[in-house]
Amino acid sequence: MLDVKDQSVYWTNYDMVQAEIMFLTKGPAFDTKRIPASAMFNQYFDGNMSSPVFQELREAQGLAYAAFAYYGSAEKPADNDYFYGYVGTQADKQAEAMKGLNGLIRDFPRTEGGFAVAKSALMNRLESERITKTGILFDYLSAQRKGLDHDVRKDVYEEVQKFTLDDVQKFQEQYLKNVKYNVVLVGNREKLNFKDLQKYGKVQE
């Protein structure tokens, strides 16, 4: 996992109609207290069909055949969190799709209705989810690796009930808005817009 000091675009040629694009960044050092906020952010930002990523990139603008974004927590206390945003689009829509995804990451899309749906969905999932069979062992080991002595879903459930849309926006502004991102891209060299790629950093094949 690289420290993104200067933004770069890493691309590779592949004969295909679409372009596959990801924005990646290394997050701060792991902190268990950040898990509830990141869970709420993920559910709101890209957790359902009413989320900003789905609505803006697929429904409203028709720029993507697939799009998602995710803030991930580190697996061990010595590691860092991370974030990635993905968009798969037609090659001739590459510039617009990248601008759209980058815009969503940088400028927080507020919708109270979307937040209410996301909060309800997350609560319902936590209330109905059951860890059974070998999942008990794997979840126990995962918690151990994180330095936890309990099921972190308990923390998430308790904190989510208190969250507001402002809290989700604060999370985005603190960890995503002004950070640097590397871009990785797969596409046909004959169809990629290299002039536009230069906006996102040093372009390297």
Side-chain angles (χ1 to χ4, degrees):
M1 193 181 292
L2 300 175
D3 290 312
V4 187
K5 296 178 181 178
D6 297 302
Q7 293 188 158
S8 297
V9 178
Y10 302 99
W11 74 278
T12 190
N13 178 60
Y14 193 78
D15 186 10
M16 58 196 291
V17 176
Q18 294 89 10
E20 309 276 359
I21 305 154
M22 290 190 78
F23 286 73
L24 304 161
T25 195
K26 179 180 178 180
F30 175 69
D31 185 351
T32 57
K33 295 178 182 178
R34 198 181 300 120
I35 292 176
S38 65
M40 186 69 256
F41 169 81
N42 285 331
Q43 187 67 44
Y44 171 77
F45 198 65
D46 188 29
N48 55 73
M49 293 178 69
S50 65
S51 67
V53 169
F54 186 92
Q55 286 296 318
E56 284 298 313
L57 296 180
R58 292 192 62 182
E59 296 297 299
Q61 301 184 57
L63 293 174
Y65 64 84
F68 56 81
Y70 181 74
Y71 184 96
S73 296
E75 287 299 310
K76 294 178 287 186
D79 293 342
N80 288 66
D81 288 354
Y82 55 92
F83 173 83
Y84 56 80
Y86 163 86
V87 60
T89 185
Q90 291 175 248
D92 60 352
K93 293 182 179 179
Q94 167 212 321
E96 293 89 342
M98 291 182 70
K99 181 180 179 181
L101 180 57
N102 188 53
L104 287 174
I105 295 170
R106 303 287 185 185
D107 300 311
F108 186 71
R110 288 182 65 96
T111 161
E112 288 288 352
F115 174 73
V117 170
K119 186 173 182 177
S120 176
L122 183 54
M123 293 288 291
N124 289 338
R125 177 163 61 82
L126 290 167
E127 288 169 353
S128 62
E129 189 176 51
R130 298 291 181 269
I131 298 173
T132 61
K133 301 180 181 179
T134 55
I136 296 171
L137 175 61
F138 291 123
D139 271 56
Y140 174 77
L141 293 173
S142 177
Q144 268 200 330
R145 283 194 294 270
K146 288 181 169 69
L148 294 166
D149 60 2
H150 63 284
D151 187 344
V152 75
R153 296 178 306 160
K154 180 175 184 290
D155 303 336
V156 176
Y157 186 76
E158 292 173 353
E159 290 297 319
V160 163
Q161 297 179 61
K162 309 172 191 174
F163 282 149
T164 66
L165 184 54
D166 288 338
D167 294 318
V168 182
Q169 182 166 359
K170 287 176 185 175
F171 181 89
Q172 181 269 344
E173 290 176 346
Q174 184 172 359
Y175 299 111
L176 301 176
K177 184 178 179 67
N178 296 311
V179 304
K180 294 180 179 179
Y181 294 85
N182 282 332
V183 175
V184 293
L185 185 151
V186 179
N188 189 323
R189 72 169 76 245
E190 303 299 326
K191 298 177 181 178
L192 295 178
N193 185 336
F194 289 99
K195 184 177 181 180
D196 186 77
L197 285 181
Q198 292 172 5
K199 298 176 183 177
Y200 299 94
K202 182 181 178 182
V203 180
Q204 303 177 60
E205 182 174 8

